[in-house]
Amino acid sequence: MIGRPWRFSSVPLFASDALDRLADYKGYREAEPYPHLVLDGLFNPEALRVILREWPEKDPKTHETHDDGTYVKKKIGTTWRTKFGRQTLGYFSELGGPQFLQALEAATGIPGLMPDPYLLGGGLHATQSGGRLAVHADYNQHLIWKVDRRLNLLTYLNEGWTEKNAGWLELWDSEMKACVKRVLPVFNRTVIFSTTSFSWHGQPEPIVGPPKLRRKSIALYYFSNGRPDEEDWSGSTEEHSTIWRERPDAGY
């Protein structure tokens, strides 16, 4: 049994059985199109609602705007400079703590995982109505430490989100021939997947809804010192940034 983590905030972050449910998860490595899992209800709903209430106002000095017109549209992300609320800091702290790391390693079979205190590319993400993110593979090495990026963890915070709003997370096969799985970004849904140079994923379908609608999520990335040879891109361990891919017959 995984022990209970130290509590940063007065509101408990996890559901009562969360860490054991994560640690006991079966089938991660066998999932298609690449190792991943989807878990609902991992967190205490009230804790996530506090994070939503703490959501920081956009500040060009502490946020990053992603809107290049081709790959990313109408997306904003925080940085390590952003002033986060107490519950949000608790989320970052507990998901980088030893109890959660043990559960994460048990579920994925990846030893020696490390969180990223710099939140490079991670943190709080918000994409407004009409926004999208093309299918891609993420950068493969930490920009400062040069260790290998192994996992993405996404927690969605969108109450009342339906299929009509679109904005699915899409997981594509290694040859970019087909989308194998779509995940609706509903409230208290967590997705964890292995990050390789061929784990193609994105949110290529634009969000549908009123102008004030936002697709909100928390993204954390985990690293290790080295990775198995089969996770190298074309047998190469060279560092690379984001790799974008067009969908067949649909473009970016």
Side-chain angles (χ1 to χ4, degrees):
M1 176 178 291
I2 301 294
R4 297 300 297 166
W6 171 72
R7 185 182 299 173
F8 193 95
S9 173
S10 59
V11 180
L13 179 63
F14 292 104
S16 59
D17 63 343
L19 297 187
D20 289 334
R21 192 151 54 94
L22 176 60
D24 293 339
Y25 186 89
K26 306 300 181 185
Y28 176 84
R29 301 202 67 82
E30 293 74 33
E32 296 290 345
Y34 42 80
H36 73 274
L37 62 82
V38 180
L39 283 177
D40 290 331
L42 198 62
F43 297 96
N44 172 9
E46 183 53 34
L48 298 186
R49 293 186 182 110
V50 174
I51 291 174
L52 284 171
R53 292 196 292 270
E54 293 179 345
W55 202 271
E57 294 292 328
K58 179 184 176 182
D59 182 341
K61 296 180 181 179
T62 65
H63 287 65
E64 294 178 337
T65 298
H66 305 278
D67 194 348
D68 60 22
T70 301
Y71 307 123
V72 192
K73 189 174 181 180
K74 300 183 177 181
K75 182 177 181 180
I76 295 172
T78 58
T79 68
W80 64 269
R81 294 181 177 87
T82 304
K83 185 176 181 180
F84 297 109
R86 184 180 180 188
Q87 188 74 49
T88 307
L89 290 171
Y91 178 99
F92 297 150
S93 176
E94 293 197 36
L95 270 69
Q99 291 91 346
F100 187 80
L101 291 175
Q102 288 176 9
L104 197 57
E105 291 174 354
T108 64
I110 301 175
L113 290 173
M114 298 177 284
D116 177 19
Y118 293 94
L119 296 175
L120 298 178
L124 306 183
H125 293 171
T127 305
Q128 71 184 77
S129 183
R132 55 186 295 277
L133 174 65
V135 177
H136 63 284
D138 292 305
Y139 69 85
N140 64 340
Q141 291 185 15
H142 195 279
L143 303 181
I144 298 172
W145 296 333
K146 304 305 178 184
V147 290
D148 294 280
R149 182 168 168 177
R150 304 299 303 282
L151 291 177
N152 283 16
L153 185 150
L154 308 173
T155 300
Y156 294 110
L157 304 175
N158 309 298
E159 295 198 77
W161 198 273
T162 72
E163 296 281 346
K164 292 181 180 180
N165 298 122
W168 301 274
L169 170 68
E170 296 190 1
L171 308 183
W172 282 68
D173 64 38
S174 61
E175 297 180 349
M176 276 299 298
K177 291 182 177 180
C179 174
V180 176
K181 188 165 188 173
R182 295 200 307 182
V183 181
L184 197 67
V186 299
F187 183 76
N188 207 355
R189 174 167 288 168
T190 298
V191 181
I192 301 169
F193 61 90
S194 291
T195 314
T196 69
S197 299
F198 46 87
S199 55
W200 308 114
H201 65 282
Q203 183 241 304
E205 293 298 324
I207 295 165
V208 178
K212 291 185 178 181
L213 180 67
R214 297 291 184 273
R215 178 188 188 272
K216 292 185 175 181
S217 63
I218 313 174
L220 293 182
Y221 310 137
Y222 296 87
F223 299 79
S224 72
N225 185 14
R227 68 165 74 244
D229 291 341
E230 64 267 20
E231 291 188 3
D232 292 337
W233 174 250
S234 300
S236 172
T237 58
E238 292 183 2
E239 181 179 359
H240 66 72
S241 59
T242 304
I243 304 171
W244 303 99
R245 283 290 183 267
E246 290 191 70
R247 297 170 292 166
D249 305 320
Y252 292 109

